[in-house]
Amino acid sequence: MKVGIFGTGMVGRILAEKFVAGGNEVMIGTRNVEETLAKSTQDIMRNPPYKEWQEKNPSVKLGTLDDVAKFGEIIIIATFGNAATNAIESAGKENFADKIVIDTTNPLNPSKGVPPGFTATVGNSLGEQIQNLLPQAKVVKAFNTLGMHIIVSPEREEGNPVLLIAGNDESAKKQVTEIAKGWGWKDIVDYGDISESFWLEAFGMIWIRYAFKNNSWTHGFALLRK
Amino acid sequence: MKVGIFGTGMVGRILAEKFVAGGNEVMIGTRNVEETLAKSTQDIMRNPPYKEWQEKNPSVKLGTLDDVAKFGEIIIIATFGNAATNAIESAGKENFADKIVIDTTNPLNPSKGVPPGFTATVGNSLGEQIQNLLPQAKVVKAFNTLGMHIIVSPEREEGNPVLLIAGNDESAKKQVTEIAKGWGWKDIVDYGDISESFWLEAFGMIWIRYAFKNNSWTHGFALLRK
């Protein structure tokens, strides 16, 4: 499978490694390829320079957002939340038609430090914004409710955490569910259509706020059914 | 302990039974005692008439909101979310001074059917509204994140669910924690000050929406720490 990933930060890198390990072709997108490769300092999240990571992951291609949107059979949005819609627009909306777009973003406001603030409101989540922007794409909100290192390696000592997903297209949700199962997820809940993204984004924030307050990065929530 | 409960619906009744079973004195408050006792039909939530329940729970007193606010050493808000602040105002704000006020409400909008809508926004949760209305009271947001029948009987077959609480006063949170422990809660997380109420109310909605979509009323979320 050809997987296009928007976002050169830690989230994009972790996802790229996981998809490569699963035998997929991966291209990561950035606004400016030369600039991204020229950076020699940590980014604002203290990730090592992209180039350093790239050298350890030589099979991953780096391209423009437009390249990636054309390349991907599945496209994953893994930018900062506040950069997602701009990135999609500059990639050419027509390049997303009929494709599965996995929105992993969270509507964080980092301007006042940590824990970050939250910018979504009911009816105006990032998942809905992205689906509205790309009416011909099959947007699935997924992989945003826990830290990405847990997303790609969900086994916990204390039990099976729950993964919530949401989207309008049943076949797209089924395919995302299969990807998640391949990563070890045992409890995947279809929470409804894309309008439920607000609740997935809120759930992500509940995870994130707990993380910062308790300096905990290994937790997850399990759904006890009875 | 003298426990005052605002709200004659199912939530208030379940809490009253639980506090009575624990050896406490309980008074439930209503806007109009005569009217509440005169009703012979189910309420809009299809609960049996209050009088029927009262006859099975003779030790519970029924009083006006003002009576209850004066009576309670601890006061529990268990009205509909959209009725909470009005009920408190009509009870006389001075009657809450220095008391623990447990806010169990959720900001539901039932006007468009089920699952209900959500009326809170960041910085304007019900917990914060109530604390702002009662600056001398010790408001603790608690017992709103799951159905009340689970709140008073939290043992699940599949594990220990997590109870999130929030509030500004440490001693008040400690007392609420002790109450929860007495009901069987084994994992109680202090999520922070009263401004975190928004996240508890969002967490409650995540529970409620799952409930309506899956006709599930027995589920809970567990926090896996590792």
Side-chain angles (χ1 to χ4, degrees), chain A residues 16-88:
Chain A
E17 290 170 16
K18 194 72 183 178
F19 277 108
V20 166
N24 303 285
E25 282 183 74
V26 175
M27 187 188 286
I28 290 185
T30 182
R31 289 185 177 273
N32 188 319
V33 172
E34 280 180 25
E35 249 178 44
T36 297
L37 289 175
K39 274 180 201 153
S40 60
T41 52
Q42 292 183 346
D43 68 15
I44 59 167
M45 300 297 282
R46 299 191 190 163
N47 300 314
Y50 183 83
K51 200 183 171 188
E52 246 176 59
W53 177 83
Q54 177 78 80
E55 283 161 5
K56 291 180 197 146
N57 296 274
S59 75
V60 176
K61 299 179 189 75
L62 184 69
T64 64
L65 298 174
D66 184 80
D67 292 336
V68 167
K70 283 179 182 143
F71 170 85
E73 294 164 324
I74 287 190
I75 297 164
I76 300 182
I77 312 300
T79 62
F80 286 121
N82 57 14
T85 53
N86 276 347
I88 289 168

Side-chain angles (χ1 to χ4, degrees), chain A residues 115 117-118 120-122 155-162 164 189-193 195-196 198-203 205-210 213-214 216 218-226, chain B residues 115 117-118 120-122 155-162 164 189-193 195-196 198-203 205-210 213-214 216 218-226:
Chain A
F118 185 70
T121 52
V122 174
E155 291 83 0
R156 306 283 92 193
E157 285 175 32
E158 297 178 353
N160 292 318
V162 65
L164 304 185
V189 168
D190 176 357
Y191 203 69
D193 66 28
S195 72
E196 300 295 342
F198 179 82
W199 299 107
L200 272 63
E201 293 171 13
F203 202 34
M205 279 298 282
I206 291 166
W207 188 93
I208 289 168
R209 293 183 80 83
Y210 182 88
K213 281 159 182 279
N214 297 281
S216 162
T218 57
H219 60 289
F221 289 98
L223 179 60
L224 313 174
R225 285 176 175 72
K226 54 190 182 177
Chain B
F118 185 70
T121 51
V122 174
E155 290 85 358
R156 308 281 92 195
E157 285 174 32
E158 297 179 353
N160 292 319
V162 64
L164 305 185
V189 168
D190 177 356
Y191 203 70
D193 66 27
S195 72
E196 301 293 343
F198 179 82
W199 299 107
L200 273 63
E201 293 171 13
F203 202 36
M205 279 298 283
I206 291 166
W207 187 93
I208 289 168
R209 293 183 80 84
Y210 182 88
K213 281 160 182 279
N214 297 281
S216 163
T218 57
H219 61 288
F221 290 98
L223 179 60
L224 313 175
R225 284 177 176 71
K226 53 189 182 178

Side-chain angles (χ1 to χ4, degrees), chain A residues 89-102:
Chain A
E89 280 181 335
S90 54
K93 293 195 278 178
E94 66 284 0
N95 293 321
F96 297 84
D98 300 324
K99 293 181 180 176
I100 294 175
V101 175
I102 305 179

